[in-house]
Coordinates of all heavy atoms in Angstrom, one line a residue:
L27 N 1.6 -56.8 -25.6 CA 0.9 -57.1 -26.8 C -0.6 -57.4 -26.4 O -1.5 -57.0 -27.1 CB 1.5 -58.3 -27.5 CG 0.9 -58.7 -28.8 CD1 1.1 -57.5 -29.8 CD2 1.6 -59.9 -29.4
R28 N -0.8 -58.2 -25.4 CA -2.1 -58.6 -24.9 C -2.9 -57.3 -24.5 O -4.1 -57.3 -24.7 CB -2.1 -59.6 -23.8 CG -1.6 -60.9 -24.2 CD -2.8 -61.6 -24.8 NE -2.4 -63.0 -25.2 CZ -3.0 -63.7 -26.0 NH1 -4.1 -63.3 -26.6 NH2 -2.6 -64.9 -26.3
L29 N -2.3 -56.4 -23.8 CA -3.0 -55.2 -23.4 C -3.0 -54.1 -24.4 O -3.5 -53.0 -24.2 CB -2.3 -54.7 -22.1 CG -2.3 -55.6 -20.9 CD1 -1.5 -55.0 -19.7 CD2 -3.8 -55.8 -20.5
N30 N -2.5 -54.4 -25.6 CA -2.5 -53.5 -26.8 C -1.7 -52.2 -26.4 O -2.2 -51.1 -26.7 CB -3.9 -53.2 -27.2 CG -3.9 -52.7 -28.7 OD1 -2.9 -52.9 -29.4 ND2 -5.0 -52.1 -29.1
L31 N -0.6 -52.3 -25.7 CA 0.1 -51.1 -25.3 C 1.5 -51.0 -26.0 O 2.3 -50.2 -25.7 CB 0.4 -51.2 -23.8 CG -0.8 -51.1 -22.9 CD1 -0.4 -51.4 -21.4 CD2 -1.5 -49.8 -23.0
V32 N 1.7 -51.8 -27.1 CA 2.9 -51.8 -27.8 C 3.1 -50.5 -28.5 O 2.3 -50.0 -29.1 CB 3.0 -53.0 -28.8 CG1 4.2 -52.9 -29.7 CG2 2.8 -54.3 -28.2
G33 N 4.3 -49.9 -28.3 CA 4.7 -48.6 -28.9 C 4.2 -47.4 -28.2 O 4.3 -46.3 -28.7
T34 N 3.6 -47.6 -27.0 CA 3.2 -46.4 -26.2 C 4.1 -46.2 -25.0 O 4.9 -47.1 -24.7 CB 1.8 -46.6 -25.7 OG1 1.8 -47.7 -24.8 CG2 0.8 -46.9 -26.8
I35 N 4.0 -45.0 -24.5 CA 4.9 -44.7 -23.3 C 4.5 -45.6 -22.1 O 5.3 -46.1 -21.4 CB 4.8 -43.2 -22.9 CG1 5.4 -42.4 -24.0 CG2 5.4 -42.9 -21.6 CD1 5.2 -40.9 -23.9
V36 N 3.2 -45.8 -22.0 CA 2.7 -46.7 -20.9 C 3.2 -48.1 -21.1 O 3.6 -48.8 -20.2 CB 1.1 -46.7 -20.9 CG1 0.6 -47.7 -19.9 CG2 0.6 -45.3 -20.5
G37 N 3.3 -48.6 -22.4 CA 3.8 -49.9 -22.7 C 5.3 -50.0 -22.4 O 5.7 -51.0 -21.9
A38 N 6.0 -48.9 -22.6 CA 7.5 -48.9 -22.3 C 7.7 -49.0 -20.8 O 8.6 -49.7 -20.3 CB 8.1 -47.7 -22.9
V39 N 6.9 -48.2 -20.1 CA 7.0 -48.3 -18.6 C 6.7 -49.6 -18.1 O 7.4 -50.2 -17.2 CB 6.1 -47.2 -18.0 CG1 6.0 -47.3 -16.4 CG2 6.6 -45.8 -18.3
L40 N 5.5 -50.2 -18.6 CA 5.1 -51.5 -18.1 C 6.2 -52.6 -18.5 O 6.5 -53.4 -17.6 CB 3.8 -51.9 -18.8 CG 3.2 -53.2 -18.4 CD1 2.7 -53.2 -16.9 CD2 2.1 -53.6 -19.3
A41 N 6.7 -52.5 -19.7 CA 7.7 -53.5 -20.1 C 9.0 -53.4 -19.2 O 9.6 -54.4 -18.8 CB 8.1 -53.2 -21.5
S42 N 9.4 -52.2 -18.8 CA 10.5 -52.0 -18.0 C 10.3 -52.6 -16.6 O 11.1 -53.3 -16.0 CB 10.9 -50.5 -17.8 OG 11.9 -50.3 -17.0
V43 N 9.1 -52.3 -16.0 CA 8.8 -52.8 -14.7 C 8.7 -54.3 -14.7 O 9.3 -55.0 -13.8 CB 7.5 -52.2 -14.1 CG1 7.0 -52.9 -12.9 CG2 7.7 -50.7 -13.9
V44 N 8.0 -54.9 -15.7 CA 7.8 -56.3 -15.8 C 9.1 -57.0 -16.0 O 9.4 -58.1 -15.4 CB 6.8 -56.7 -16.8 CG1 6.7 -58.2 -17.1 CG2 5.4 -56.2 -16.4
T45 N 10.0 -56.5 -16.8 CA 11.3 -57.1 -17.1 C 12.2 -57.1 -15.9 O 12.8 -58.1 -15.5 CB 12.0 -56.3 -18.2 OG1 11.2 -56.3 -19.4 CG2 13.3 -56.9 -18.6
T46 N 12.2 -56.0 -15.1 CA 13.0 -55.9 -13.9 C 12.5 -56.9 -12.8 O 13.3 -57.7 -12.3 CB 13.1 -54.5 -13.4 OG1 13.5 -53.6 -14.4 CG2 14.0 -54.4 -12.2
L47 N 11.2 -56.8 -12.6 CA 10.7 -57.7 -11.5 C 10.7 -59.1 -12.0 O 10.9 -60.0 -11.2 CB 9.3 -57.2 -11.1 CG 9.2 -55.9 -10.5 CD1 7.7 -55.5 -10.2 CD2 10.0 -55.8 -9.2
G48 N 10.4 -59.3 -13.2 CA 10.3 -60.7 -13.8 C 11.7 -61.4 -13.7 O 11.8 -62.6 -13.5
A49 N 12.7 -60.6 -14.0 CA 14.1 -61.2 -14.0 C 14.4 -61.7 -12.6 O 15.0 -62.8 -12.4 CB 15.1 -60.2 -14.5
V50 N 14.1 -60.9 -11.6 CA 14.3 -61.3 -10.2 C 13.5 -62.5 -9.8 O 14.0 -63.5 -9.3 CB 14.1 -60.2 -9.2 CG1 14.1 -60.6 -7.8 CG2 15.0 -59.0 -9.5
F51 N 12.2 -62.5 -10.2 CA 11.3 -63.6 -9.9 C 11.8 -64.9 -10.6 O 11.9 -66.0 -9.9 CB 9.9 -63.3 -10.4 CG 8.9 -64.4 -10.3 CD1 8.4 -64.8 -9.0 CD2 8.6 -65.1 -11.4 CE1 7.5 -65.9 -9.0 CE2 7.7 -66.2 -11.3 CZ 7.2 -66.6 -10.1
Y52 N 12.1 -64.8 -11.9 CA 12.5 -66.0 -12.6 C 13.9 -66.5 -12.1 O 14.1 -67.7 -12.0 CB 12.7 -65.7 -14.1 CG 11.3 -65.7 -14.8 CD1 11.0 -64.6 -15.6 CD2 10.4 -66.7 -14.8 CE1 9.8 -64.5 -16.2 CE2 9.2 -66.7 -15.5 CZ 8.9 -65.5 -16.2 OH 7.7 -65.5 -16.8
Q53 N 14.8 -65.6 -11.7 CA 16.1 -66.0 -11.2 C 15.9 -66.8 -9.9 O 16.5 -67.9 -9.7 CB 17.0 -64.8 -11.0 CG 18.4 -65.2 -10.5 CD 19.3 -64.0 -10.3 OE1 18.9 -62.9 -10.7 NE2 20.4 -64.2 -9.7
R54 N 15.1 -66.3 -9.0 CA 14.9 -66.9 -7.7 C 14.2 -68.3 -7.9 O 14.5 -69.3 -7.2 CB 14.0 -66.1 -6.8 CG 14.8 -64.9 -6.2 CD 14.0 -64.1 -5.3 NE 14.7 -62.9 -4.8 CZ 14.2 -61.9 -4.2 NH1 12.9 -61.9 -3.9 NH2 14.9 -60.9 -3.8
S55 N 13.3 -68.3 -8.8 CA 12.6 -69.6 -9.1 C 13.5 -70.7 -9.6 O 13.5 -71.8 -9.2 CB 11.4 -69.4 -10.1 OG 10.5 -68.6 -9.5
M56 N 14.4 -70.2 -10.5 CA 15.4 -71.2 -11.1 C 16.4 -71.6 -10.1 O 16.9 -72.7 -10.2 CB 16.0 -70.6 -12.4 CG 15.0 -70.5 -13.5 SD 15.7 -70.0 -15.1 CE 16.8 -68.7 -14.8
E57 N 16.8 -70.7 -9.2 CA 17.8 -71.1 -8.2 C 17.2 -72.1 -7.2 O 17.9 -73.0 -6.7 CB 18.3 -69.9 -7.5 CG 19.3 -69.0 -8.3 CD 19.6 -67.7 -7.7 OE1 19.0 -67.3 -6.7 OE2 20.5 -67.1 -8.2

Side-chain angles (χ1 to χ4, degrees):
L27 187 65
R28 289 283 182 195
L29 296 176
N30 203 17
L31 297 173
V32 176
T34 64
I35 293 175
V36 174
V39 169
L40 180 71
S42 176
V43 170
V44 170
T45 302
T46 303
L47 294 177
V50 172
F51 172 76
Y52 285 124
Q53 181 180 351
R54 286 183 184 167
S55 297
M56 289 187 318
E57 286 172 350

